[in-house]
Amino acid sequence: MELALSLGDTPKPFSFLEKPQKILSKDLGFCMTTGKVSTDGGEKSNKSDDSRFSDGPIRASSSDPPVQLDLLPFSPVQRSQPSSNKLPFPWLKDKLGGVTEASRKGDDGGGDQETAAVSSPNSAVSSFQVDFSMFRSARGKRDFEQLSANNGEGEADRGAGSDDEENGMARKKLRLTKDQSAFLEESFKEHNTLNPKQKLALAKQLNLRARQVEVWFQNRRARTKLKQTEVDCEYLKRCCETLTEENRRLQKELQELRALKASQPFYMQLPATTLTMCPSCERVVTTTAAAAAAPPAASNHFSLSPPHAKTAP
DNA sequence: CGAACCCGTTAGATTACATCA
DNA sequence: ACTGATGTAATCTAACGGGTT
């Protein structure tokens, strides 16, 4: 597909944003450069897709490094430990109790402690142990009553493998605990898709249903994609502004040259000059007409002859 | 055909802020 | 002026259904 940039005009929407690409990289950081997006419609998971922006009409210069964005939040594990100590395969660990306790101490500061205690019980495994400190505020009490009401069936819902659905009740939304989310994040960092085995192991370890894990990963991928789209859009906007500015500058330069030609009619009677530009190295070489008459050495060279020079496609 | 995934949507939970007693 | 309770809009995100691969 092509990158639609309209200089000096209202930029058209970028079609690749309408059909976003799979965003994947091994370490799940985000990498972006501008350029042609692969038209390869295949959206197979875990496909390394770094080439999708390469070699397009707009090439980032060497001084213009790819925009990299790491949107993955630091997990409590990472915050408290060097990166080398991060969990390699979370689902292979026995339990995360120790990690969660440590993270809770380091985290959860601030005025929302009661709320946090409600939404983040003591461990991912014993999901709904209730922190009674919430009774310190009336609102906390209200929250607790609501939680208790939810918990009646919530415990059953949350339990791994207990699939008894809501008995016709409206669906309930169960917030994952911070620990569960952190654990899932860690897993997502390792693989942003799960095979059935991993899904089941993760679900079992977090005391969730496999479907919940599956949905979490789907939603997580969607969030990643959305963020990346925003970053792409922002970067292309800047690109467009830069090119518009350059276009303006070149137009001005052209006007000046035309004015010069008009004021000095003999100026252009020098031997015709050919500008030759190599698309690969983007080097412009000025040659006289005689030299230009000889065919260029490389077949992919093209010529720009003033005053009708056009910009390269 | 079934499984896995994506996408758009819904709705519950949470947060931020304003208002009032 | 300050504080806590309450209401409301905005935001986040778990969950769902349908379509696609």
Side-chain angles (χ1 to χ4, degrees):
Chain A
M1 67 142 300
E2 67 280 349
L3 173 65
L5 278 179
S6 172
L7 297 183
D9 207 338
T10 309
K12 292 177 181 177
F14 303 114
S15 53
F16 86 92
L17 294 179
E18 291 163 10
K19 180 171 171 51
Q21 305 294 306
K22 191 88 175 177
I23 300 143
L24 293 169
S25 72
K26 280 178 186 145
D27 57 2
L28 294 174
F30 293 105
C31 177
M32 190 197 72
T33 64
T34 55
K36 185 168 63 187
V37 178
S38 163
T39 53
D40 166 22
E43 291 199 351
K44 280 284 152 251
S45 301
N46 290 331
K47 181 182 118 190
S48 177
D49 212 359
D50 290 342
S51 63
R52 64 196 178 100
F53 284 126
S54 65
D55 201 20
I58 300 174
R59 198 198 321 262
S61 70
S62 58
S63 62
D64 195 1
V67 174
Q68 285 207 341
L69 173 62
D70 186 355
L71 292 169
L72 291 169
F74 287 112
S75 70
V77 181
Q78 283 176 309
R79 234 176 268 146
S80 57
Q81 296 177 11
S83 59
S84 58
N85 286 344
K86 69 180 180 184
L87 297 173
F89 273 85
W91 46 80
L92 296 181
K93 283 263 185 173
D94 291 340
K95 293 287 177 187
L96 71 163
V99 170
T100 61
E101 285 305 312
S103 68
R104 187 180 317 288
K105 276 166 194 157
D107 218 347
D108 272 2
D112 279 335
Q113 269 183 327
E114 283 91 3
T115 317
V118 175
S119 63
S120 183
N122 279 345
S123 84
V125 178
S126 57
S127 292
F128 271 88
Q129 293 176 9
V130 176
D131 184 348
F132 287 93
S133 65
M134 67 177 64
F135 281 122
R136 277 181 292 181
S137 73
R139 186 167 196 164
K141 185 175 180 177
R142 195 178 66 191
D143 290 343
F144 173 70
E145 284 163 0
Q146 194 177 352
L147 174 66
S148 301
N150 282 347
N151 238 6
E153 296 117 352
E155 193 83 55
D157 261 2
R158 195 171 278 265
S162 73
D163 275 338
D164 51 342
E165 292 300 332
E166 285 111 335
N167 299 335
M169 309 269 290
R171 73 174 175 192
K172 293 183 299 296
K173 181 174 175 173
L174 299 170
R175 272 315 262 204
L176 299 181
T177 68
K178 280 186 179 178
D179 296 327
Q180 285 171 322
S181 295
F183 204 69
L184 287 165
E185 281 289 346
E186 282 295 319
S187 307
F188 186 81
K189 215 176 283 183
E190 297 291 334
H191 303 281
N192 67 352
T193 55
L194 293 175
N195 61 39
K197 208 172 173 182
Q198 291 170 327
K199 191 198 303 175
L200 282 175
L202 203 49
K204 190 176 177 186
Q205 188 152 8
L206 293 176
N207 201 27
L208 297 171
R209 280 174 286 136
R211 172 67 183 160
Q212 284 179 291
V213 173
E214 182 183 313
V215 165
W216 188 92
F217 269 74
Q218 279 175 12
N219 286 325
R220 185 64 181 77
R221 283 191 292 269
R223 283 196 292 273
T224 298
K225 190 173 183 177
L226 184 66
K227 284 282 180 193
Q228 183 59 36
T229 301
E230 286 171 10
V231 171
D232 286 354
C233 192
E234 201 50 45
Y235 184 78
L236 288 173
K237 226 164 87 183
R238 284 205 306 275
C239 254
C240 184
E241 285 165 8
T242 303
L243 287 170
T244 302
E245 180 55 38
E246 172 137 14
N247 187 42
R248 201 172 295 139
R249 186 180 62 76
L250 289 170
Q251 292 283 357
K252 192 180 166 193
E253 199 175 317
L254 183 62
Q255 270 190 344
E256 285 170 4
L257 285 172
R258 279 177 177 156
L260 187 67
K261 183 188 172 187
S263 66
Q264 300 178 6
F266 301 110
Y267 176 76
M268 295 302 279
Q269 288 187 357
L270 296 170
T273 301
T274 301
L275 296 179
T276 305
M277 182 167 145
C278 170
S280 57
C281 65
E282 293 183 350
R283 224 179 186 162
V284 177
V285 180
T286 311
T287 55
T288 63
S299 60
N300 61 344
H301 280 58
F302 60 94
S303 296
L304 302 173
S305 299
H308 300 298
K310 301 242 176 188
T311 52

